């Protein structure tokens, strides 16, 4: 093999490493201008991502360096011939045990993060006690059902529940939980900025929690090819202060229960039920 081929095989790993290192500078890395994740759990997930990237980068650079060295040496010395061996037991043990140990380390290292993210027992208690909304994915939109102000979300829709489509409001700085459902096929609730992704499955109600750590308008997309209108399932999650969030719910109540005569039906019902209770 000529030296030209050695350079050819050297070029690709170098190009891969350089483009990987440049990715954050040119916007090819994490979403939102490579900003830090907008949730505390997301920041921990990014940490795990970088650790795995580092491990794979070391292995990749190491094996490529050995490959190029072997090619270069072979191209320098045309008298040295390759020999055929049936295998090397010791070598095979080494390259089985080292990746095995690395994988075992990663599997154990990420267990806490996985538990905090997915196992309900480890969710923040306040979030579990008061889910803020039920999120229903359907072909091809997201529907949100909030409980009436001051009430708790019930498994079945209530007369005074509040609804919105493709716009979910949540307060920042505190853990919130949603109940995720699908009305038809399999969808996936994906908040790239918060590093949250969970499939929505027909017949199941799946709790998902997150804690947004900064205000903003973030994309909510469906990450499961769910039909011809899959691309239309782009919604937004609006992360705002607790006061703005409460205002939003108030406005939603007013819009939804306005009877056209200047009265808010929901409030009227409330005062009526209070009166009957007395
Ligand atoms: Cu979908």
């Amino acid at each position: 093999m000529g030296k030209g081929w050695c350079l050819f095989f050297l070029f690709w790993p170098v190009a891969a490493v350089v483009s990987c290192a440049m990715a954050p500078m040119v916007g090819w890395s994490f979403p939102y201008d490579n900003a830090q994740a907008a949730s505390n759990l997301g920041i921990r997930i990014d940490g795990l991502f970088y650790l795995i990237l580092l491990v794979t980068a070391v292995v990749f650079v190491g094996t490529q360096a050995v490959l190029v060295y072997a090619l270069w040496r072979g191209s320098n010395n045309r008298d040295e011939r390759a020999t055929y061996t049936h295998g090397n037991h010791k070598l095979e043990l080494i390259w089985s045990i080292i990746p095995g140990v690395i994988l075992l380390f990663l599997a154990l290292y990420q267990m806490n993060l996985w538990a905090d993210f997915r196992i309900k027992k480890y969710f923040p208690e306040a979030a579990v006690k008061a889910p803020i909304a039920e999120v229903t994915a359907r072909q091809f939109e997201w529907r949100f059902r909030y409980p009436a102000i001051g009430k708790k979300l019930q498994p079945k829709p209530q007369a005074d529940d509040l609804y919105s489509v493709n716009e979910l409001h949540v307060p920042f700085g505190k853990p919130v939980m949603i109940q995720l459902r699908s009305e038809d096929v399999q969808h996936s609730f994906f908040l790239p900025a918060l590093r949250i992704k969970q499939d929505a499955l027909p017949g199941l109600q799946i709790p998902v929690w997150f804690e947004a750590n900064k205000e903003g308008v973030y994309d909510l997309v469906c990450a499961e090819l769910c039909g011809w209108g899959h691309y239309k399932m782009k919604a937004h999650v609006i992360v705002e202060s607790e006061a703005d969030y409460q205002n939003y719910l108030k406005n939603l109540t007013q819009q939804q229960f306005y009877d056209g005569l200047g009265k808010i039906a929901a409030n009227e019902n409330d005062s009526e039920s209070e009166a009957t209770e007395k």
Side-chain angles (χ1 to χ4, degrees):
M1 185 181 278
K3 291 229 167 29
W5 282 108
C6 298
L7 293 175
F8 179 80
F9 283 110
L10 178 65
F11 171 78
W12 295 107
V14 171
V17 171
V18 170
S19 57
C20 198
M22 275 173 53
M25 287 175 255
V26 290
W28 293 345
S29 189
F30 288 123
Y32 303 94
D33 303 325
N34 317 302
Q36 207 179 34
S39 75
N40 297 336
L41 203 67
I43 294 171
R44 288 170 63 197
I45 291 172
D46 289 355
L48 194 60
F49 171 82
Y50 282 121
L51 174 71
I52 294 171
L53 185 68
L54 182 74
V55 170
T56 47
V58 168
V59 173
F60 176 70
V61 171
T63 49
Q64 294 303 308
V66 172
L67 173 70
V68 171
Y69 168 74
L71 290 175
W72 191 264
R73 217 183 105 170
S75 70
N76 266 339
N77 184 352
R78 292 194 175 268
D79 300 329
E80 196 181 0
R81 309 308 300 171
T83 49
Y84 175 80
T85 64
H86 187 63
N88 185 326
H89 193 64
K90 211 160 134 191
L91 205 58
E92 289 197 17
L93 268 180
I94 291 171
W95 70 43
S96 302
I97 288 171
I98 292 176
V101 169
I102 293 173
L103 286 177
L104 191 66
F105 164 74
L106 289 176
L108 296 173
Y109 183 79
Q110 58 82 48
M111 268 170 64
N112 281 346
L113 179 55
W114 180 255
D116 290 347
F117 188 24
R118 283 283 195 262
I119 300 175
K120 208 174 167 188
K121 201 169 76 178
Y122 297 99
F123 287 13
E125 214 183 310
V128 177
K129 275 191 180 155
I132 61 157
E134 180 189 70
V135 176
T136 306
R138 66 193 290 265
Q139 289 172 318
F140 294 99
E141 64 184 16
W142 299 94
R143 291 197 170 181
F144 307 110
R145 177 169 71 88
Y146 307 90
I149 296 171
K151 293 196 179 170
K152 281 199 166 180
L153 184 75
Q154 300 299 320
K156 292 237 163 78
Q158 304 293 304
D160 55 359
D161 280 344
L162 304 169
Y163 290 90
S164 69
V165 173
N166 287 347
E167 196 180 292
L168 175 69
H169 285 243
V170 297
F172 81 97
K174 71 176 204 184
V176 295
M177 197 182 92
I178 55 143
Q179 296 284 10
L180 183 62
R181 292 180 54 232
S182 167
E183 197 176 293
D184 34 50
V185 299
Q186 192 173 333
H187 300 270
S188 182
F189 178 84
F190 184 26
L191 294 173
L194 278 78
R195 320 287 192 251
I196 294 287
K197 193 191 246 178
Q198 170 63 52
D199 279 1
L201 304 167
L204 277 186
Q205 196 175 59
I206 302 169
V208 179
W209 83 275
F210 51 89
E211 182 182 340
N213 58 18
K214 52 186 168 203
E215 284 182 70
V217 178
Y218 303 111
D219 286 339
L220 160 59
V221 292
C222 177
E224 196 73 59
L225 188 56
C226 59
W228 68 268
H230 164 67
Y231 69 95
K232 291 182 181 175
M233 287 188 71
K234 189 174 173 186
H236 290 104
V237 171
I238 288 108
V239 176
E240 58 201 2
S241 65
E242 180 69 35
D244 287 348
Y245 171 66
Q246 291 300 337
N247 263 340
Y248 170 75
L249 291 182
K250 256 181 226 156
N251 285 339
L252 209 56
T253 312
Q254 280 172 2
Q255 280 168 22
Q256 218 165 283
F257 295 101
Y258 180 64
D259 67 356
L261 296 168
K263 285 183 191 163
I264 308 298
N267 293 350
E268 215 174 64
N269 286 342
D270 277 354
S271 49
E272 261 175 28
S273 57
E274 273 168 30
T276 38
E277 272 169 31
K278 281 169 198 163

